[in-house]
C-alpha cells in the first residue's frame, strides 16, 4: 500500500527542498532507496530463517526498522515546502497556480519527450523487475543453485546503485543529461545481447553474476538521471505526477513481460538438459502441465531461450527509440538561469539607485562589481 506514495516522492522532494547542486544527488538517494531495500531483503532474509516457523520472527525484524522512519515522518515533517524556495524554478512553481490533474495528464499526453521517457524508463524498470522475478526459474533450468540466482539478482540492484553515484556526479558537473544517458545506452545494448546467450549456458556461474551486474549498471545506473530528465522536459508540471506515471509504465510493461512468458517457454526435451536442471520439480512425461513425482512440488524446468530473446529484443527496441528520437530543452534549467539573471540585474539596479541617492560611501563605490553576467541557458548551474 505504501509503494504508490513512495514512488512519487524522489523528484518532488529534490525539486522543492534541495538546491540545484544537491538536487541530482537527492533524487539518486531517494530513487534508489526502494530497490536497495528490496535487495537487502533478498540477501539478508535467507540468512535469518531456515524454516517456515521462523517467518513471524522475520516479520518482526523487518518491521522494527520502519518504526523510526514512521516517527520521524509523523513528528518531524510539518510542511510540504520549505519557507524559502531553494531555486528560482522552485519559487516559480510555488507561486504558480496548481493545474488540475486531468489537465496535467492531457498536457503530458501531448509532450513527445515525456512519452518517450514514459516508454523507455518504464520499460527498463519493468524489464529489471521481470528479470529479477524470472531469474531463479531461468537459472535453475540450466543447473544453477537458488543461492547463485539470489546473488545474481542482488547484483543487478547493487551494481546499479553503485554506478548511479559516479554517473550522477558526472551529470552534476557537466549538466549534459541527454548525452550521458544516450552514451550509457550503447553498452546496454551489448550487455543485452550477451545476456541472451550467457543466461542459457550451464557451468558459468561467475560470468552469469558478472552479466547481471553489467545489466544493473547499464539500466539502473542512469535511473536517477532519467528521473531528473523527466522533470526537465515537463517543467513546470507537477513532478509527482510525472514520476508516478513512469512507475505506472514500469508496472504495466513489467506485467506484460511476465504474462507473455507463457507464450515463449517450452519444456526441456534434451536428456542432458534434464540431467543438469536443479529446479524443485521436473516436467513429467505429459509436458509442462504435468509434473513428475519427485517428492515435492515447485517450479518446473523449462527452456527459456525464446523468452530471453523476446524480452531482450523488446528492451533493445526501446533503447534504440530513445537514442534516435529523444531530445528536449532543459526547461527547468532555463527557468533557474533566467531567475539568476533577473536577480543579478535587480542587484545592479539597487546598487545604481544607491549611488544616485548618495547612500554608498566612496569606499563601497570602488568595490561595486560592474562585470556583465553571462548565463548559459542550455546548462544547469555548476
Amino acid at each position: 500500500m505504501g509503494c504508490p506514495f513512495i514512488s512519487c516522492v524522489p523528484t518532488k522532494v529534490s525539486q522543492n527542498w534541495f538546491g540545484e547542486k544537491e538536487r541530482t544527488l537527492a533524487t539518486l538517494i531517494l530513487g534508489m532507496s526502494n530497490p536497495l531495500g528490496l535487495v537487502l531483503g533478498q540477501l539478508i532474509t535467507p540468512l535469518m530463517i531456515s524454516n517456515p516457523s521462523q517467518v513471524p520472527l522475520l516479520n518482526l525484524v523487518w518491521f522494527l526498522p520502519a518504526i523510526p522512519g514512521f516517527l520521524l515522518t509523523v513528528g518531524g515533517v510539518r510542511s510540504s515546502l520549505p519557507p524559502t524556495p531553494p531555486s528560482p524554478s522552485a519559487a516559480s512553481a510555488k507561486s504558480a497556480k496548481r493545474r488540475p490533474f486531468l489537465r496535467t495528464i492531457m498536457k503530458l499526453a501531448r509532450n513527445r519527450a515525456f512519452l518517450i521517457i514514459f516508454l523507455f524508463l518504464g520499460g527498463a524498470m519493468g524489464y529489471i523487475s521481470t528479470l529479477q522475478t524470472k531469474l531463479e526459474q531461468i537459472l535453475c533450468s540450466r543447473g544453477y543453485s537458488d543461492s547463485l540466482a539470489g546473488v545474481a539478482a542482488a547484483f543487478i540492484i547493487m551494481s546499479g546503485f553503485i554506478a548511479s553515484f559516479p554517473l550522477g556526479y558526472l551529470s552534476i558537473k557537466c549538466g549534459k543529461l541527454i548525452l550521458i544517458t544516450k552514451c550509457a545506452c550503447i553498452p546496454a545494448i551489448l550487455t543485452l545481447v550477451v545476456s541472451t546467450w550467457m543466461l542459457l549456458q550451464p557451468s558459468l556461474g561467475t560470468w552469469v553474476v558478472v552479466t547481471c551486474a553489467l545489466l544493473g549498471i547499464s539500466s539502473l545506473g542512469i535511473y536517477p538521471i532519467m528521473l531528473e530528465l523527466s522533470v526537465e522536459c515537463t517543467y513546470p508540471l507537477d513532478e509527482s505526477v510525472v514520476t508516478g506515471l513512469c512507475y505506472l509504465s514500469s508496472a504495466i510493461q513489467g506485467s506484460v513481460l511476465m504474462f507473455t512468458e507463457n507464450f515463449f517457454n517450452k519444456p526441456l526435451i534434451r536428456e542432458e538438459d534434464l540431467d543438469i536442471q536443479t529446479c524443485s520439480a521436473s516436467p513429467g512425461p505429459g509436458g509442462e502441465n504435468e509434473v513428475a513425482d519427485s517428492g515435492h512440488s515447485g517450479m518446473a524446468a523449462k527452456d527459456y531461450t525464446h523468452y530471453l530473446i523476446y524480452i531482450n529484443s523488446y528492451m533493445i527496441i526501446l533503447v534504440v527509440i530513445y537514442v534516435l528520437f529523444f531530445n528536449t530543452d532543459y526547461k527547468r534549467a532555463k527557468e533557474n538561469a533566467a531567475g539568476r539573471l533577473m536577480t543579478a540585474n535587480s542587484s545592479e539596479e539597487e546598487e545604481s539607485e544607491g549611488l544616485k541617492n548618495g547612500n554608498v560611501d566612496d569606499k563601497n563605490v570602488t568595490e561595486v562589481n560592474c562585470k556583465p553576467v553571462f548565463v548559459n541557458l542550455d546548462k544547469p548551474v555548476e
Side-chain angles (χ1 to χ4, degrees), residues 31-106:
M32 295 300 293
S33 61
N34 186 35
L36 183 62
L38 294 176
V39 75
L40 288 177
Q42 290 178 337
L43 287 175
I44 297 175
T45 297
L47 303 176
M48 295 171 51
I49 63 171
S50 57
N51 57 74
S53 63
Q54 295 176 316
V55 171
L57 174 63
L58 174 69
N59 294 334
L60 180 63
V61 169
W62 285 119
F63 173 75
L64 291 177
I67 295 178
F70 169 77
L71 296 177
L72 289 173
T73 301
V74 174
V77 180
R78 301 298 180 88
S79 174
S80 299
L81 300 172
T84 303
S87 64
S89 61
S92 177
K94 181 180 179 180
S95 61
K97 183 179 179 181
R98 182 181 292 273
R99 289 180 174 85
F101 178 75
L102 290 180
R103 284 187 58 189
T104 300
I105 297 296
M106 294 300 297

Side-chain angles (χ1 to χ4, degrees), residues 11-19 22-23 26 76-87 90:
T11 53
K12 184 77 170 181
V13 172
S14 62
Q15 165 67 7
N16 293 316
W17 286 88
F18 292 88
E22 301 87 15
R23 191 171 53 216
V77 180
R78 301 298 180 88
S79 174
S80 299
L81 300 172
T84 303
S87 64

Side-chain angles (χ1 to χ4, degrees), residues 61-382:
V61 169
W62 285 119
F63 173 75
L64 291 177
I67 295 178
F70 169 77
L71 296 177
L72 289 173
T73 301
V74 174
V77 180
R78 301 298 180 88
S79 174
S80 299
L81 300 172
T84 303
S87 64
S89 61
S92 177
K94 181 180 179 180
S95 61
K97 183 179 179 181
R98 182 181 292 273
R99 289 180 174 85
F101 178 75
L102 290 180
R103 284 187 58 189
T104 300
I105 297 296
M106 294 300 297
K107 200 167 185 65
L108 289 173
R110 295 190 295 269
N111 188 323
R112 175 185 172 183
F114 169 75
L115 292 177
I116 294 177
I117 288 182
F118 177 83
L119 185 64
F120 170 68
L121 181 58
M125 298 305 296
Y127 170 83
I128 291 298
S129 299
T130 301
L131 186 61
Q132 283 199 298
T133 303
K134 301 294 183 181
L135 192 60
E136 183 179 357
Q137 297 172 260
I138 295 172
L139 293 183
C140 78
S141 298
R142 305 310 299 155
Y144 296 107
S145 65
D146 294 346
S147 299
L148 187 135
V151 171
F155 263 76
I156 294 176
I157 303 297
M158 291 297 296
S159 61
F161 177 76
I162 295 172
S164 63
F165 281 93
L167 291 174
Y169 177 78
L170 182 62
S171 69
I172 294 173
K173 297 302 291 183
C174 71
K176 298 184 180 298
L177 307 182
I178 298 177
L179 179 62
I180 293 172
T181 54
K182 289 189 176 182
C183 287
C185 288
I186 297 175
I189 293 177
L190 297 176
T191 305
L192 287 167
V193 173
V194 171
S195 68
T196 305
W197 177 82
M198 184 62 67
L199 296 180
L200 296 173
Q201 304 306 308
S203 305
L204 293 176
T206 301
W207 289 106
V208 167
V209 174
V210 171
T211 301
C212 289
L214 292 175
L215 283 173
I217 292 172
S218 57
S219 57
L220 290 179
I222 61 172
Y223 170 65
I225 303 177
M226 291 300 303
L227 287 180
E228 285 288 290
L229 200 52
S230 69
V231 178
E232 290 288 348
C233 72
T234 58
Y235 180 85
L237 300 179
D238 193 297
E239 303 86 7
S240 60
V241 176
V242 174
T243 307
L245 288 176
C246 290
Y247 271 94
L248 175 64
S249 175
S250 72
I252 294 174
Q253 295 188 67
S255 299
V256 171
L257 291 175
M258 291 182 194
F259 175 76
T260 50
E261 177 225 336
N262 299 310
F263 302 104
F264 289 94
N265 64 60
K266 60 181 181 179
L268 294 178
I269 299 176
R270 297 190 307 173
E271 190 66 31
E272 56 269 28
D273 292 335
L274 292 172
D275 290 339
I276 65 171
Q277 66 88 19
T278 57
C279 299
S280 56
S282 58
E288 63 177 316
N289 295 324
E290 181 180 346
V291 177
D293 185 9
S294 58
H296 53 154
S297 60
M299 295 179 296
K302 300 176 183 178
D303 183 359
Y304 288 94
T305 302
H306 295 98
Y307 182 63
L308 281 173
I309 294 174
Y310 158 63
I311 62 173
N312 286 351
S313 299
Y314 177 81
M315 196 61 234
I316 290 173
I317 292 172
L318 294 184
V319 171
V320 171
I321 290 174
Y322 175 76
V323 172
L324 294 181
F325 299 107
F326 180 81
N327 196 23
T328 185
D329 292 330
Y330 295 134
K331 298 178 182 179
R332 181 176 59 178
K334 288 186 175 182
E335 179 67 25
N336 288 327
R340 292 193 303 273
L341 181 60
M342 186 178 301
T343 301
N345 291 336
S346 299
S347 299
E348 290 183 358
E349 292 176 0
E350 291 176 0
E351 290 173 354
S352 300
E353 288 295 327
L355 289 173
K356 290 180 182 179
N357 297 332
N359 294 330
V360 181
D361 56 29
D362 294 337
K363 181 179 179 180
N364 290 333
V365 169
T366 61
E367 296 176 353
V368 173
N369 183 9
C370 296
K371 293 182 180 180
V373 177
F374 298 96
V375 178
N376 183 358
L377 295 180
D378 293 321
K379 178 181 178 182
V381 64
E382 299 295 339

